[in-house]
């Protein structure tokens, strides 16, 4: 029942309910919406040039300045359905070995996606919809684990991934503007899927309205919140002009709405969620440096793209791009790029 229908049914006295109850009426559901973090990796880092160097150049930033990095996705419990936003790394992806000189290190794995989901109290069968922010494997790795869920993904990204199946919904964002964003599609009461290209050509964000707040679940519009506050773009971007437009729109939205910013690659994502911390762009919190305490690790011989999670296995090579099986990573051509996100060899870490 919608808010207008509910008030008509029970009378204007409903307006006098407590704020928590009012949010239930406004959202038309039996219980308040809950947003939860699905935690996958911890104790990583990223460098300032990686996080902020797209427009000004990486050389304008200090590679010795490092920010905390993690990997988590998010879940929206709408009461009558469970909606996932992205599905983490593939189960079989090896962990990255630590390289203190790497531009980004995701950290060590906490759990695979399905295990992390179960620890939150949810079964795979409960998931009704999955909203994909973009095509990279660290956001789409376990779509295969939810064959009964509808997968909502921008047509651009779905075509790039060559996704098939009756459960794949290629989204064209036909519901018109959402606030200052040009294209959107309503997914459920209070849940909006919004076209926000830049990081990838078909990148999207999710905005959830709950309890008088707006929660932006944005994939990789920025990699760390410090970049949001300082209005900087990461080098991990397919379309610079579109990325700038998207970040401008996100910042403009934040300036006019009480917004909680939920990031994928920094622990600030779930810390902001836990605290319901509203962004004030004029007051950046003091950065917390990463711990950088790592034990000895054994290399597998494989390499993992630190931007998207694609694995280079020398035993397989990259035959689609002329790299035969048995080609060592060190012997790859200098201009070889990640097959998925098109980043260079320097963005790969030993696994």
């Amino acid at each position: 029942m919608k808010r207008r229908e509910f008030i008509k049914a029970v009378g204007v006295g409903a307006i006098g309910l407590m704020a928590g109850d009012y949010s239930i009426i406004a959202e038309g559901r039996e219980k308040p919406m809950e947003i939860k973090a699905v935690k996958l990796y911890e104790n990583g880092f990223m460098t300032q040039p990686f996080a902020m160097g797209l427009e000004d150049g990486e050389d304008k930033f200090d590679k010795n300045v490092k920010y905390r990095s993690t990997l988590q996705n998010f879940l929206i419990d709408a009461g009558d359905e469970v909606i996932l936003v992205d599905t983490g790394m593939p189960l079989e992806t090896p962990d990255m070995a630590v390289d203190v000189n790497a531009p980004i290190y995701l950290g060590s794995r906490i759990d695979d996606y399905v295990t992390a989901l179960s620890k939150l109290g949810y079964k795979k069968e409960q998931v009704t919809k999955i909203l994909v922010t973009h095509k990279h494997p660290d956001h789409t790795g376990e779509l295969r684990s939810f064959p009964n869920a509808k997968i909502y993904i921008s047509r651009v990204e779905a075509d790039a991934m060559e996704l098939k199946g009756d459960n794949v919904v290629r989204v064209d964002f036909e519901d018109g503007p959402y606030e200052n964003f040009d294209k959107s599609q309503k997914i459920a009461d209070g849940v909006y899927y919004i076209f926000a290209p830049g990081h990838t050509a078909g990148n999207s964000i999710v905005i959830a309205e709950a309890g008088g707040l707006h929660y932006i679940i944005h994939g990789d519009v920025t990699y760390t919140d410090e970049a949001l506050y300082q209005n900087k773009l990461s080098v991990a971007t397919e379309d610079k002009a579109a990325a700038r437009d998207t970040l401008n729109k996100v910042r403009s939205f934040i300036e006019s709405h009480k917004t909680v910013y939920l990031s994928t690659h920094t622990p600030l994502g779930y810390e902001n969620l836990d605290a319901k911390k509203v962004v004030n762009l004029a007051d950046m919190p003091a950065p917390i440096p990463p711990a950088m305490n790592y034990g000895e690790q054994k290399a597998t011989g494989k390499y993992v793209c630190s931007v998207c999670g694609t694995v280079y296995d020398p035993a397989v090579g990259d035959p689609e791009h002329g790299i035969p099986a048995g080609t060592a990573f060190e012997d790859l051509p200098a201009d070889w790029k990640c097959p998925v996100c098109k980043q260079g060899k320097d963005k790969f870490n030993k696994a």
Side-chain angles (χ1 to χ4, degrees):
M1 182 179 290
K2 304 295 184 183
R3 177 193 176 208
R4 184 182 304 164
E5 296 167 344
F6 186 93
I7 292 176
K8 183 177 179 181
V10 302
V12 295
I15 299 174
L17 293 173
M18 295 174 61
D21 293 328
Y22 176 81
S23 71
I24 299 171
I25 296 169
E27 294 164 11
R29 55 175 61 90
E30 294 181 357
K31 70 174 185 177
M33 178 190 296
E34 293 185 86
I35 302 173
K36 301 179 182 181
V38 186
K39 298 179 182 179
L40 305 168
Y41 285 71
E42 63 183 357
N43 298 327
F45 63 83
M46 70 185 79
T47 65
Q48 190 180 65
F50 172 85
M52 302 188 186
L54 180 66
E55 294 172 308
D56 300 324
E58 294 181 68
D59 59 334
K60 300 297 192 298
F61 297 90
D62 187 349
K63 65 181 181 180
N64 295 311
V65 175
K66 292 182 169 67
Y67 304 107
R68 296 180 296 161
S69 183
T70 53
L71 176 61
Q72 61 276 332
N73 298 144
F74 295 91
L75 173 154
I76 301 170
D77 186 336
D80 56 348
E81 59 180 335
V82 176
I83 302 170
L84 306 182
V85 182
D86 294 338
T87 61
M89 284 281 199
L91 174 64
E92 66 273 15
T93 299
D95 286 357
M96 295 178 186
V98 178
D99 177 358
V100 296
N101 296 312
I104 181 172
Y105 166 59
L106 291 183
S108 57
R109 191 190 293 262
I110 304 170
D111 285 309
D112 65 87
Y113 189 90
V114 174
T115 299
L117 188 68
S118 67
K119 286 184 177 180
L120 291 175
Y122 297 91
K123 298 179 180 179
K124 294 191 297 182
E125 294 75 19
Q126 291 177 265
V127 177
T128 54
K129 296 172 182 173
I130 302 172
L131 310 181
V132 177
T133 62
H134 61 284
K135 63 190 176 186
H136 291 164
D138 58 337
H139 294 256
T140 60
E142 288 302 321
L143 289 177
R144 61 193 175 182
S145 292
F146 304 93
N148 298 323
K150 290 287 187 182
I151 298 172
Y152 291 76
I153 180 170
S154 72
R155 183 174 296 277
V156 175
E157 300 295 272
D159 290 349
M161 295 178 66
E162 300 181 350
L163 285 182
K164 295 178 174 62
D166 294 339
N167 65 325
V168 177
V169 180
R170 282 169 158 77
V171 178
D172 292 312
F173 304 95
E174 296 178 334
D175 287 345
Y178 174 86
E179 300 294 340
N180 62 314
F181 295 97
D182 299 331
K183 297 179 180 180
S184 72
Q185 182 158 329
K186 185 176 180 179
I187 301 299
D189 285 342
V191 181
Y192 299 87
Y193 190 49
I194 294 164
F195 190 53
H199 177 61
T200 63
N203 197 77
S204 307
I205 64 176
V206 176
I207 296 182
E209 302 172 354
L213 299 175
H214 293 77
Y215 294 82
I216 292 185
I217 307 172
H218 65 85
D220 300 340
V221 170
T222 60
Y223 269 76
T224 187
D225 290 17
E226 288 85 357
L228 170 73
Y229 284 91
Q230 297 186 41
N231 198 17
K232 301 295 183 183
L233 291 167
S234 170
V235 296
T237 300
E238 286 186 3
D239 186 328
K240 183 190 293 187
R244 168 44 58 195
D245 182 63
T246 287
L247 184 55
N248 287 346
K249 283 184 168 70
V250 167
R251 286 171 54 87
S252 178
F253 182 91
I254 287 170
E255 287 175 343
S256 57
H257 299 80
K258 292 181 178 179
T259 303
V260 182
Y261 194 66
L262 303 185
S263 297
T264 298
H265 288 293
T266 168
L268 288 164
Y270 55 77
E271 291 169 2
N272 291 342
L273 177 61
D274 290 344
K276 295 184 179 179
K277 181 176 176 57
V278 173
V279 176
N280 176 1
L281 291 175
D283 185 19
M284 185 180 83
I288 300 172
M292 303 295 288
N293 294 324
Y294 304 112
E296 184 178 350
Q297 295 177 313
K298 184 177 180 180
T300 64
K302 300 176 183 180
Y303 285 74
V304 181
C305 178
S306 59
V307 172
C308 74
T310 294
V311 177
Y312 178 78
D313 184 347
V316 177
D318 182 14
E320 290 187 13
H321 299 89
I323 306 299
T327 303
F329 185 82
E330 294 80 2
D331 294 334
L332 289 170
D335 61 352
W336 181 84
K337 297 183 184 302
C338 174
V340 175
C341 71
K342 311 307 178 186
Q343 294 292 315
K345 290 174 62 178
D346 63 317
K347 300 302 189 297
F348 276 73
N349 290 359
K350 289 182 179 180

